[in-house]
């Protein structure tokens, strides 16, 4: 990913938090000499290796489930994004742009097909995504025979992270007064992405 120094985010804790908050990712692998992508939720284990480990699963019917162990793969985590009009700067000789946040994770893929390990992966998914529910659902709600049948239809994986790139493009290359004008304009937009980018831009203003 092209990451100008103005927009680079390198703090591993910030990047890990971003991954956890934006866990519906795009996983890109290679199959038959072509890139192949799936859009799936991916979990992060911060405590594995130097940069952490990603955990996920595919349906066996998905051709990407045949990805070979040790293939170098790319997982893209998408954050909020918003169009930026040059009129908001109230300055001459500027052009439209797009503000956004994204994190790219590179690492080695490993297949998991052991039923016990697959069940643990599913438990981690349920625990992570149900945590915010008033009455969290658990795997105990599933008939054991049905659960075993489900396990036969999926393939799990881990990705040992070797490199993480974070790009938080939030107008850091502009003076603070222009950034504040963009924040104000975004706050007047009626969509969640614009509001989220405004909040991130405000958080990244110098103290």
């Amino acid at each position: 990913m092209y990451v100008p120094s103005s927009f680079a985010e390198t703090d591993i804790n910030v990047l890990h938090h971003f991954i956890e908050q934006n866990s519906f990712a795009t996983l890109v692998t290679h199959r038959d000499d072509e890139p192949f992508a799936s859009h799936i939720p991916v979990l992060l284990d911060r405590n594995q290796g130097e940069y952490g480990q990603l955990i996920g699963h595919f349906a066996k019917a998905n051709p990407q489930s045949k990805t070979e162990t040790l293939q170098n793969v790319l997982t893209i985590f998408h954050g909020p994004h918003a169009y930026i009009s040059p009129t908001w700067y109230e300055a001459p000789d500027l052009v439209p742009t797009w503000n956004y946040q994204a994190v790219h994770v590179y690492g080695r893929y490993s297949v998991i097909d052991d039923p016990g390990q697959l069940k643990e992966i599913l438990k981690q998914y349920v625990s992570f995504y149900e945590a915010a529910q008033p009455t969290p659902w658990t795997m105990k709600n599933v008939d054991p025979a049905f659960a075993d049948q489900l396990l036969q239809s999926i393939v799990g994986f881990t990705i040992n992270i070797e490199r993480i790139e974070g790009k938080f493009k939030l107008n850091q290359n502009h003076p603070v007064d222009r950034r504040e004008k963009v924040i104000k304009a975004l706050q007047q937009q009626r969509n969640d992405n614009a509001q989220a980018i405004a909040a991130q831009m405000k958080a990244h203003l110098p103290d």
Side-chain angles (χ1 to χ4, degrees):
M1 176 167 60
Y2 171 56
V3 188
S5 58
S6 298
F7 308 139
E9 177 56 66
T10 59
D11 186 314
I12 191 65
N13 290 319
V14 172
L15 296 173
H16 278 172
H17 180 73
F18 184 91
I19 289 170
E20 290 165 345
Q21 295 300 307
N22 300 276
S23 61
F24 190 72
T26 303
L27 175 56
V28 184
T29 61
H30 277 84
R31 178 175 173 79
D32 298 329
D33 295 324
E34 289 187 341
F36 194 103
S38 291
H39 307 277
I40 55 174
V42 179
L43 302 179
L44 170 69
D45 183 347
R46 294 186 180 213
N47 299 317
Q48 294 294 323
E50 183 177 1
Y51 301 110
Q53 183 184 75
L54 300 181
I55 303 165
H57 71 278
F58 295 114
K60 277 188 179 178
N62 184 341
Q64 202 168 21
S65 70
K66 307 298 190 296
T67 301
E68 294 181 359
T69 288
L70 296 183
Q71 183 178 135
N72 194 9
V73 303
L74 166 64
T75 311
I76 303 171
F77 296 88
H78 312 267
H81 59 91
Y83 172 76
I84 308 300
S85 170
T87 62
W88 299 344
Y89 298 116
E90 298 179 6
D93 301 323
L94 294 166
V95 297
T97 191
W98 212 279
N99 280 2
Y100 62 93
Q101 294 178 293
V103 170
H104 286 196
V105 174
Y106 304 84
R108 299 289 172 176
Y109 179 96
S110 293
V111 178
I112 295 176
D113 51 18
D114 175 75
Q117 290 180 283
L118 287 174
K119 187 175 289 186
E120 286 303 313
I121 288 176
L122 295 184
K123 286 181 179 179
Q124 289 180 59
Y125 266 84
V126 171
S127 176
F128 183 81
Y129 290 109
E130 286 286 327
Q133 299 302 315
T135 306
W137 183 91
T138 73
M139 291 291 289
K140 294 178 182 178
N141 297 92
V142 180
D143 178 81
F146 180 65
D148 289 341
Q149 184 179 351
L150 288 176
L151 291 175
Q152 294 175 22
S153 66
I154 66 172
V155 173
F157 65 82
T158 59
I159 298 170
N160 292 322
I161 300 174
E162 297 179 346
R163 179 161 55 100
I164 305 181
E165 294 177 334
K167 185 173 184 179
F168 291 6
K169 185 177 179 294
L170 302 167
N171 280 131
Q172 299 98 316
N173 56 332
H174 285 268
V176 170
D177 65 317
R178 289 186 192 167
R179 293 158 69 176
E180 290 175 336
K181 290 173 182 175
V182 171
I183 292 169
K184 183 178 180 180
L186 286 168
Q187 289 173 334
Q188 296 171 358
Q189 306 299 306
R190 295 184 177 180
N191 69 76
D192 293 342
N193 272 312
Q195 295 296 325
I197 286 295
Q200 287 297 315
M201 288 184 66
K202 190 172 182 178
H204 282 77
L205 289 174
D207 295 330

